[in-house]
Amino acid sequence: MPVEVRDLTHTYNEDSPFAAAALRDVSFAIEDGEFLGVIGHTGSGKSTLIQHLNGLIRPTSGTVIVNGLDLSDKSTDLRRVRRRVGLVFQYPEYQLFEETVQKDIAFGPRNLGLDGDEVQRRVEEACALVELPFAAVRDKSPFELSGGQKRRVAIAGVLAMEPEVLILDEPTAGLDPAGRDAILALIRRWHEGGRTIVMVSHSMEDVARLADRILVLDHGKKAMEGTPREVFADAGRLQEMGLDVPAATRLARELSDRGFDVPRDLYTLEELEEALLRAFGEGGSAC
Amino acid sequence: MLKDITLGQFYPGDSLVHRLDPRVKLVLMVVYIAMVFLVEGFLGYLFLAAFLAVSAFLSRIRIKFLLRSIRPVLFIVVFTFVLNILFTRGDHPILEWGVLHITWEGVRFAVFMSLRLVFLLAGTSLLTLTTSPIALTDALERLLKPLNALHFPVHEMAMMMTIALRFIPTLLEETDKIMKAQTARGADFDTGNLLQRAKAMVPLLVPLFVGAFRRADELAMAMEARCYHGGRHRTRMKVLRVSRADGWACGATAATLLLILLERLL
């Protein structure tokens, strides 16, 4: 299900003194099975952008085409798009509402009009995907769970719809490191099933770890686009936009600045480890 | 969808009307409302229109924006007009057809009633458009202060109003967000019969209430952490002061009132 965004512009409260341009002429495409990371400073238009991808808001101008369907066209049936593009909002645990975890996860699939057995299968599968012990939580109220568990229930609620494109807005915000790792691991597992993912994040580490390609937004405009290696190579530009590079990249660059033989464009911990071993480990010249 | 509500909205600015003392504005608004109900003739409406036009001009708020506040109650205005035109009895008929009697008196009365509503709305909107909710509750607190003598908790009431007003945009935003999130999960708020629609609100209302209680709890905690402690002996960061412009505003209002009373008496 390819997604294509062309010259997308969105202005909130048009024609009023509160008018604010959230997006300006943004164009990009998402291939099938790709993992796109979207980064940008607060207020750069990330959230506005992803809400366009399943038709929750309509473009002021420009087009969004999902699987050949033009979402800016008023006659397009957006529900058809929404069942194939899943969106996990920021702090999704605040949308939980049902009496039991099971019912809450089943809300999406039931809205798709699936029969009872299929809904049940999907709920159980989604629970397994987010590593919630189904038997133990199925009849609990979602409001009794811990913060990390609530979030996993909320994500499971979207996964149970089995969307071909999954969009996540800051899925790890406000979680402790263990919770964060759990969420990232489940996103990775979902992606390994060959599904397309778009993830918005503040954390350069998270994006570096998972994304195939990164889109950088700055004040509603597309500032950079490329592989993590390409994007993180331009640390200066990212810092100008109030962003940063992953800690691994920062360390590598510092070392390189001080004359050590470490590549400047690495961005994962694994790469850093390898480079450090080469430079400082056995047979290395530096020590 | 939820952002289209202009009634009671504040339109930030720095015009003469914006800078008037909110207490004065509030009192003048009461006088204005009294005037709207005192007016009896065309001339009186003319004075009132002139008064409103000058205020609107000085506030530098676009007429389009001011008129938009009338839109939600346009139905009531039209309804009043039709009812009055049909059911007012008079001696000078224009049209008689079966049970329909339209008279000069009826037309006159219908026009006046509708105008009255429009003036009422336009005027009060002008007040809320040019005065921030915080300033308004501040003014209200000051004006109601004498009630303290009767052990009426004026400060607490004002604080509650301030907080309620403060959270309206937050709750609207939250509603919008939850609605979108549930729509993304396939919820449908717009179609179906009344019962289905009411049911469809559950996924919206439960998280909204849970969120509101959470926020209230957090706010109470934050206020206590900063040693908030009721009304007595509190000083203000912004002390309200009556300026010369307030004098002019009072003068203009008094003059209009006088003209209207004169027209009524003569």
Side-chain angles (χ1 to χ4, degrees):
Chain A
M1 257 209 6
V3 176
E4 198 187 341
V5 174
R6 238 181 282 150
D7 303 321
L8 177 61
T9 297
H10 190 87
T11 311
Y12 283 111
N13 296 317
E14 227 187 347
D15 296 330
S16 91
F18 312 105
L23 289 173
R24 272 174 286 183
D25 295 320
V26 176
S27 301
F28 64 95
I30 309 167
E31 312 271 318
D32 278 348
E34 193 179 22
F35 195 128
L36 180 75
V38 180
I39 57 176
H41 199 254
T42 312
S44 59
K46 297 168 295 189
S47 297
T48 309
L49 176 68
I50 56 168
Q51 287 176 37
H52 277 95
L53 299 183
N54 72 346
L56 282 175
I57 38 186
R58 289 190 192 268
T60 305
S61 70
T63 51
V64 179
I65 296 168
V66 178
N67 205 23
L69 285 171
D70 184 353
L71 303 196
S72 51
D73 184 351
K74 286 221 159 89
S75 61
T76 304
D77 182 9
L78 294 173
R79 295 175 56 110
R80 265 175 64 201
V81 175
R82 286 188 194 134
R83 59 182 52 188
R84 304 175 74 176
V85 181
L87 178 53
V88 178
F89 273 85
Q90 202 169 354
Y91 297 105
E93 57 272 27
Y94 293 151
Q95 322 146 10
L96 300 174
F97 70 97
E98 273 288 10
E99 293 154 57
T100 67
V101 168
Q102 167 161 255
K103 280 190 190 170
D104 206 290
I105 298 176
F107 180 66
R110 255 191 291 125
N111 283 330
L112 295 180
L114 302 168
D115 64 65
D117 292 343
E118 176 67 8
V119 170
Q120 188 60 25
R121 179 190 71 76
R122 288 194 178 194
V123 170
E124 280 175 38
E125 231 175 75
C127 258
L129 266 164
V130 300
E131 292 182 322
L132 278 171
F134 182 67
V137 297
R138 56 182 293 176
D139 293 323
K140 270 196 178 174
S141 158
F143 298 102
E144 285 171 30
L145 304 176
S146 75
Q149 282 176 321
K150 274 188 204 165
R151 178 149 325 167
R152 277 186 275 165
V153 171
I155 295 178
V158 175
L159 295 186
M161 297 173 77
E162 299 190 348
E164 288 158 65
V165 179
L166 179 66
I167 307 168
L168 302 116
D169 191 356
E170 300 272 1
T172 60
L175 290 181
D176 56 31
R180 194 186 116 192
D181 286 344
I183 298 284
L184 291 178
L186 90 85
I187 295 171
R188 188 197 291 268
R189 274 200 302 282
W190 184 259
H191 178 55
E192 277 162 2
R195 280 144 170 146
T196 315
I197 291 190
V198 178
M199 184 172 87
V200 171
S201 184
H202 265 115
S203 160
M204 302 303 134
E205 269 77 19
D206 294 358
V207 175
R209 238 201 286 176
L210 293 169
D212 303 321
R213 213 149 52 85
I214 295 179
L215 180 74
V216 186
L217 289 179
D218 185 36
H219 291 104
K221 285 187 178 158
K222 180 170 93 175
M224 296 160 92
E225 186 186 6
T227 62
R229 200 174 304 282
E230 285 163 0
V231 169
F232 291 132
D234 203 347
R237 183 125 180 255
L238 285 171
Q239 268 152 6
E240 269 171 37
M241 292 185 270
L243 299 170
D244 208 345
V245 293
T249 314
R250 223 177 316 145
L251 180 61
R253 292 171 75 94
E254 293 268 335
L255 287 171
S256 161
D257 285 344
R258 274 153 223 216
F260 294 104
D261 180 24
V262 175
R264 296 175 66 87
D265 63 351
L266 57 78
Y267 62 92
T268 62
L269 275 178
E270 292 72 28
E271 281 180 308
L272 179 70
E273 185 185 10
E274 208 177 290
L276 290 183
L277 279 175
R278 229 183 303 120
F280 299 99
E282 287 169 76
S285 54
C287 298
Chain B
M1 59 200 111
L2 291 164
K3 285 172 183 146
D4 295 336
I5 303 167
T6 38
L7 204 68
Q9 198 181 23
F10 175 51
Y11 186 109
D14 189 34
S15 72
L16 199 66
V17 183
H18 281 87
R19 285 196 308 263
L20 287 180
D21 187 309
R23 287 170 301 177
V24 173
K25 271 195 270 189
L26 211 57
V27 172
L28 292 186
M29 184 48 57
V30 174
V31 177
Y32 173 84
I33 291 170
M35 289 199 290
V36 170
F37 285 101
L38 280 173
V39 163
E40 252 181 4
F42 276 111
L43 209 59
Y45 274 109
L46 216 62
F47 295 141
L48 208 57
F51 178 75
L52 191 66
V54 170
S55 315
F57 173 74
L58 287 176
S59 72
R60 296 213 199 107
I61 284 171
R62 275 184 293 165
I63 288 295
K64 196 176 109 187
F65 217 78
L66 195 59
L67 290 180
R68 208 182 284 175
S69 60
I70 298 173
R71 213 166 41 190
V73 283
L74 199 62
F75 169 73
I76 301 176
V77 173
V78 173
F79 192 66
T80 317
F81 185 82
V82 173
L83 268 192
N84 278 304
I85 218 169
L86 289 181
F87 293 105
T88 310
R89 302 251 164 249
D91 305 325
H92 302 85
I94 311 171
L95 184 88
E96 290 207 37
W97 186 68
V99 285
L100 281 180
H101 304 277
I102 295 177
T103 60
W104 267 117
E105 285 79 2
V107 172
R108 198 181 125 98
F109 197 65
V111 168
F112 280 5
M113 280 311 272
S114 313
L115 273 178
R116 212 164 255 182
L117 278 174
V118 170
F119 273 110
L120 210 56
L121 280 165
T124 42
S125 302
L126 194 61
L127 173 73
T128 53
L129 282 169
T130 58
T131 321
S132 78
I134 305 290
L136 264 184
T137 43
D138 241 20
L140 208 61
E141 184 179 352
R142 294 307 301 248
L143 290 173
L144 292 181
K145 225 173 177 180
L147 289 180
N148 260 334
L150 302 171
H151 298 289
F152 183 78
V154 175
H155 172 79
E156 283 73 11
M157 287 296 293
M159 181 51 100
M160 274 158 64
M161 267 178 73
T162 311
I163 291 172
L165 287 169
R166 154 71 185 76
F167 276 98
I168 288 174
T170 314
L171 283 177
L172 281 180
E173 210 172 279
E174 184 115 333
T175 312
D176 194 49
K177 209 182 127 185
I178 297 170
M179 246 174 145
K180 278 180 177 164
Q182 307 297 27
T183 310
R185 289 170 76 190
D188 185 358
F189 295 104
D190 303 319
T191 54
N193 60 35
L194 205 63
L195 190 70
Q196 283 168 325
R197 281 196 201 201
K199 260 187 168 168
M201 295 304 273
V202 172
L204 171 65
L205 290 178
V206 173
L208 200 61
F209 270 94
V210 172
F213 280 112
R214 193 189 63 244
R215 266 176 222 287
D217 212 33
E218 281 168 6
L219 181 71
M221 198 90 89
M223 283 170 77
E224 268 192 67
R226 281 183 279 171
C227 305
Y228 171 78
H229 199 277
R232 284 182 64 200
H233 310 303
R234 277 178 74 80
T235 54
R236 310 199 148 265
M237 189 167 88
K238 283 187 187 146
V239 179
L240 297 174
R241 276 204 188 84
V242 177
S243 68
R244 185 173 291 171
D246 293 307
W248 286 112
C250 288
T253 314
T256 317
L257 179 65
L258 203 68
L259 285 171
I260 286 170
L261 284 177
L262 274 178
E263 202 234 0
R264 208 180 141 91
L265 292 174
L266 296 178

